[in-house]
Amino acid sequence: ALPIYYTNVLCQLALLSGAVAAWRSGSLRRLRMAGVIVGAAAASFALMHLDTLAYAWAHGPNPGGVIREYKWMEIYGLKLVDLFVPSTSHRSEVLAAAAMRHRAVAPLLDEGASYLGILGLACLGWLAAVSARAFLERRSDEVPAAFWQVAWIVLVFTTGGLNAFAGAAGFLIFRTGCRMSIVILAIVLEWAARRASVGETSAAPRGAGATAAAFSWPIALVLCGIAAWDQVPRPPGRDVLAGTARRIEADRKFVARIEEALAPGAKVLQLPLVEFPESPAPGVGAYEHLRHYVLGSRLHWSFGTIKGRPREAWLAELANKDAAGVVAELRTRGFAAIVVDRDGFPDRGRAVESALLQAAGADRLITSPTGDETCVVLGGGS
């Protein structure tokens, strides 16, 4: 999803720069060059997604595959304040605490990654100061292009900006404007690097370039160190790492036990039913069911088929059947087992497990080492 966001803003900025250049010079040459950039981006996009476009042409569109709602354009819109709010896992306890206080009261939260960092904010402030001075001294033609680029991104992608107007009209593809913070960061860093380069200044005295080069490496290393400390999150503690390792090992053993009990290539239904993509169920994350697929190699798992296609409609209809009907349907379709994620059921799956065991005529469950998942072998599947 991210490449199309950044390709989108690249095309916008190319057209904006081309239009401004055409207006100033009275020539359409720069605007035509911008059109070439947009055309090349469109052609590349079409080639990269040729398989998807061909499938949609052969099987028809699938509007239910990826659902977009207008509300997310406001929730995940670019917010200027979030450019200044660090991560809750920042290495500084003071900054991490400030971030947690902000997230506790902010009604609209982004994806948690809009922070420009100390270095990025310093460069943004420098760009703002240079631009303000040019405006105050009535030298608007000397305002850096980077200022107009950042201003355009804010105008378009901020919460309630032009992108929101497009969403209100039904164009909902670019719902997460906060992702444009990284484009702002790239623009201000590139501008600051050019501005700080003595080689870019024609008025620099003879020998100044060599002197600056001698100092540039230490300064660059210091700045990289500051950026790394500021941007790389605090590493998880040993207890967190140990807990994650135990969870992965427990999942690995659970999948291995299921593979030992079933024939290679057997089909396994995963409960609760979770649609793919972006459709979490109560108690189960949107992609939790992928753990079985990642850690196994011999079985077919039910999770991961694109929602909205008629081929998988029967899965949703299972919710209207009792346990006996579910088992009968699964056996007809060649399924050999059912995995139950207990976190997805209010009673930790006890009622579902009991009913499935009785309907399948099974006498035991395969239980994960952590006790959070079970498997009912149906028998008769292949």
Side-chain angles (χ1 to χ4, degrees):
L2 292 181
I4 191 175
Y5 273 80
Y6 303 138
T7 302
N8 169 37
V9 75
L10 168 66
C11 293
Q12 290 188 29
L13 294 179
L15 290 173
L16 178 66
S17 300
V20 171
W23 175 69
R24 286 180 173 178
S25 65
S27 170
L28 296 178
R29 187 174 67 87
R30 292 287 185 88
L31 189 57
R32 286 195 294 268
M33 291 175 60
V36 171
I37 293 175
V38 174
S44 300
F45 176 85
L47 289 174
M48 291 172 60
H49 295 83
L50 189 60
D51 56 341
T52 302
L53 297 172
Y55 189 91
W57 178 80
H59 300 277
N62 181 15
V66 180
I67 299 175
R68 295 287 182 260
E69 299 179 73
Y70 173 79
K71 65 179 181 179
W72 299 112
M73 303 190 79
E74 297 203 1
I75 294 174
Y76 289 148
L78 178 67
K79 306 171 190 66
L80 294 181
V81 66
D82 287 337
L83 303 180
F84 295 80
V85 178
S87 167
T88 55
S89 59
H90 197 280
R91 292 175 180 270
S92 167
E93 296 291 343
V94 174
L95 294 179
M100 286 187 282
R101 288 195 298 271
H102 172 75
R103 294 189 71 82
V105 299
L108 301 178
L109 296 176
D110 68 356
E111 293 182 321
S114 295
Y115 177 52
L116 294 185
I118 295 173
L119 190 59
L121 289 173
C123 293
L124 180 63
W126 187 13
L127 174 62
V130 169
S131 302
R133 180 176 180 179
F135 278 120
L136 291 173
E137 295 178 356
R138 301 182 183 278
R139 295 181 288 107
S140 59
D141 57 328
E142 297 182 17
V143 175
F147 170 83
W148 299 112
Q149 292 168 347
V150 171
W152 176 260
I153 291 173
V154 172
L155 177 65
V156 174
F157 292 102
T158 192
T159 296
L162 297 182
N163 191 48
F165 280 92
F171 189 72
L172 300 166
I173 293 179
F174 303 104
R175 62 171 180 169
T176 314
C178 60
R179 293 173 177 172
M180 294 305 165
S181 61
I182 194 171
V183 182
I184 294 176
L185 179 60
I187 290 172
V188 299
L189 289 179
E190 192 271 345
W191 173 84
R194 287 181 177 274
R195 184 84 178 188
S197 173
V198 174
E200 290 283 314
T201 306
S202 59
R206 185 181 300 273
T211 304
F215 288 98
S216 61
W217 281 108
I219 294 174
L221 289 175
V222 170
L223 293 177
C224 287
I226 294 173
W229 173 84
D230 182 43
Q231 293 283 9
V232 177
R234 185 187 322 119
R238 291 185 178 181
D239 54 339
V240 175
L241 292 175
T244 302
R246 286 193 298 270
R247 177 65 182 274
I248 293 174
E249 185 59 27
D251 287 344
R252 195 185 308 277
K253 291 179 179 178
F254 179 56
V255 172
R257 291 174 186 172
I258 298 174
E259 289 184 336
E260 290 174 1
L262 304 178
K267 303 175 184 178
V268 183
L269 179 76
Q270 295 160 282
L271 294 180
L273 295 174
V274 179
E275 293 184 316
F276 176 87
E278 301 175 342
S279 302
V284 180
Y287 305 108
E288 284 288 305
H289 283 338
L290 284 178
R291 289 154 44 207
H292 308 127
Y293 169 78
V294 171
L295 297 174
S297 60
R298 298 172 51 197
L299 304 177
H300 297 293
W301 305 89
S302 63
F303 178 73
T305 55
I306 298 294
K307 63 187 177 184
R309 292 291 181 188
R311 188 182 66 178
E312 282 76 37
W314 68 272
L315 282 169
E317 296 173 1
L318 289 179
N320 300 321
K321 298 179 181 289
D322 58 13
V326 169
V327 170
E329 177 75 18
L330 293 179
R331 282 176 172 164
T332 300
R333 294 181 178 273
F335 280 77
I338 302 174
V339 166
V340 177
D341 188 329
R342 288 174 166 172
D343 291 335
F345 298 90
D347 62 347
R348 297 285 294 164
R350 285 188 292 269
V352 170
E353 292 167 354
S354 177
L356 290 175
L357 281 171
Q358 183 178 0
D363 57 359
R364 71 181 183 89
L365 293 168
I366 300 174
T367 305
S368 67
T370 55
D372 62 335
E373 291 184 297
T374 59
C375 176
V376 179
V377 178
L378 301 181
S382 60

